[in-house]
């Protein structure tokens, strides 16, 4: 596979994301990480910060591109000649949602495949919300997020206090 | 088991909650009902009101403590020497969510167990939202919530009209 | 069956809704489409617009009534002598939710049945949110919504720009 | 609805079955209980015994017919001019299976509807296997099966000892 | 991706299998269809027949190899230098099972990826069991299986009568 | 809690079982491991072998008793004055099944609680079937089962060859 797209809000990137991005980079030559410009919820990190953290956290991997996206995922994938969307699933609620999303994207772009990767048991439970909650309450986020995220949270915290 | 923690928003306490608290009180000498100070949604009852209703609704049970909590549940459990978190599950969507939450708490506090109690078929479907919706539309909430909640809703209603 | 109720927000009506309404009209002489006055989220179309679109989109079917509803669904069904609620399910997350909702309605109105219709594989994945998202980003909504909805979205779009 | 079909092995009929049959008889004038001639597992009761127990257990209901069936359910429904299949669902594993079965039947008989009824919380957990297991180990099956089944099990037990 | 493995019993191959094999052939240069020698249930078609039907049904696709396999899937994948296992999922019960299977295979062969492809809504519900049941009862299997399977079933039927 | 019961076939005991038994031994003074005498499938190890392996694998834990059981689990728990059944859940299919089983046991023994423990992410995927399959095909079962099981499988293997 030439190109795959791995979409998300990444507010911020977690070790769960990095596990999936690493595995995706073994399946395709080029992994486009599509960072959602508009998210249904207010983000802690703005678009640039989210993209920078992703670039830094994946600098050790080859073939990774971090690109903001708004609009339809099916159109974005077409613009970037992507063959497939990569999505991680942790449990059946994720699977149920992804099966429906895959049908929407197939209806919008019949050439676009959806690849679901089973989340890694060791990092699958990690979400951006968990990282922010644990940090907010002085918990140790090392098991959940890369070092650059910890730095960024500390800076963000000092800016806001 | 010495101490278990039963966390929630309890806005307000329902007969479903009381079923689980009663069963928890048979499993451990001390049941700490952890009332969330900060909830993602605006609550109808404030923290004190929620705590008072819980105390009144469980007055007939021994070994019950009602304590507000903010911060990480894993830390709260450690502070109160709790051996386990008690959570009720009604169906698979609950189970999927609780399996992931249990992994987060295990990562934050490896000594903390998570005990999932199958909801009682007769009260499992009751949620605080159902109680408030039924009351708001003049429905009978007796099958769903203890008498003290009905009183509190009537007072709240008269205050707000 | 004389009368069934098919409740929802219908913001706007989709081909998935129309599939279920058509099938419901074969099961009962009278299908009351109950349009929720109050929805937890702000709607794109107001109540009248939503009702008008439903009437237009189901004009080809007999025995259809479009009626706004607020309050408890169990009470609305009683007022309209409905024997059953019709609900569509696409996957297990829907099923889990509907099983609990059915218990609430059974507790409020023991005569009211809940009929779950398996979503049609070809239209089951369509939601009002998908229709609005695809339209917003200039996608083709013909496979997802009836023509009258496309018109209404174009008018709404021109009003808002 | 004129006619609906409620299929199963009924080895033997349980209070869970009777709850669904009773509810089906309120939705349609005629409920054909289709008793599977061939079942993947050896049955405790033969076909006649299973049919007789069903007839006896539903004698108090009107419009009920008990008819053995082999072959495709979609064909059987067509032969008996049935508009819909009635199936009960207790949880999401049932729902997942029934959604797929509904698609198979829709592909074989596009006029045939599938109606899923949420199992009653009080009897939903009862299966024929539970009835036989509890009886085998001298448990009380009154909460699980009608009196005629208890009689039949006692007779079967004395025949086999 | 160079090589992926698509395992199964294929007793017989269905249009659901062919949809997944076709999609897999777009993701990798070489798709090894691993046909299980030992299956938990007695098969209708023996190993050679199952392999021949697969070869015939996928003759129009390039890069397809049909190879019997026994032993551990993780070992088979290693022997054939496969980067990933391809598995289709139709609903959450499949997803739950595949998530656990993926963990077993990851424990046995850490280099082996598991790719889950959402079943196509139009063919996802088709299983080998459905094909055999429909044929057994003189139903039309054209919507479910390729022509060569129909031929083989007719021959098998005449041999057995 | 004085006594809990942890039931199963244990054919053979795995590291997943031992994780749950270890955690149960922290919740109650006495953990009765109930080894099913009659299992729906033929077992590789007979009853005594299964019990011996359990005793050896849990020798390092205090308060563990290994007792064969046949009949109803609800009755067995009553005979041994157990307050709760301990069951592990790995995903939603387990949860769906356990919620129904808990209702059956509650109907048979209203004093008996069911405690569901979320499977440990690192060992949750391990089943007795996986252990036997991996051993049969010369895989390494050290990550899946205790040393005594490996010994027993080697002896069983030599006896059978």
């Amino acid at each position: 596979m030439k190109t795959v797209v791995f979409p998300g809000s990444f507010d911020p990137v977690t070790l769960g994301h990095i596990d999936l991005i690493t595995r995706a980079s073994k399946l395709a030559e080029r992994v486009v990480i599509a960072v959602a410009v508009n998210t249904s919820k207010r983000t802690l990190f703005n678009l640039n910060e989210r993209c920078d953290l992703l670039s830094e956290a994946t600098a050790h991997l080859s073939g990774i591109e971090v690109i903001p996206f708004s609009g339809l995922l099916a159109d974005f994938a077409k613009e970037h000649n992507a063959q497939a969307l990569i999505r991680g699933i942790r449990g059946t609620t994720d699977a149920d949602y992804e099966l429906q999303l895959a049908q929407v994207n197939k209806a919008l772009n019949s050439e676009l495949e959806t690849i679901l990767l089973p989340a890694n048991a060791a990092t699958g439970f990690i979400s951006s919300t968990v990282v922010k909650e644990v940090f907010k309450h002085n918990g140790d986020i090392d098991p959940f997020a890369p070092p650059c995220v910890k730095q960024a949270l500390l800076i963000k915290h000092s800016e806001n206090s």
Side-chain angles (χ1 to χ4, degrees), chain A residues 56-105:
Chain A
E56 189 173 345
T58 59
H60 63 293
L61 297 169
S62 65
I64 307 292
E65 287 176 47
V66 178
I67 302 177
F69 100 94
S70 57
L72 297 174
L73 205 47
D75 294 342
F76 178 90
K78 200 176 282 180
E79 278 156 42
H80 293 274
N81 301 312
Q83 217 179 339
L85 295 177
I86 302 275
R87 303 281 292 174
I89 56 170
R90 293 170 281 210
T92 51
T93 311
D94 282 357
D96 209 24
Y97 175 73
E98 294 297 340
L99 286 173
Q100 285 170 30
L101 202 64
Q103 274 193 275
V104 174
N105 283 320

Side-chain angles (χ1 to χ4, degrees), chain A residues 35-55:
Chain A
V35 185
V37 174
N38 315 312
T39 63
S40 53
K41 286 173 282 181
R42 235 166 58 86
T43 59
L44 176 64
F45 293 102
N46 65 39
L47 181 61
N48 288 337
E49 291 168 335
R50 287 183 280 138
C51 289
D52 291 348
L53 283 171
L54 270 163
S55 301

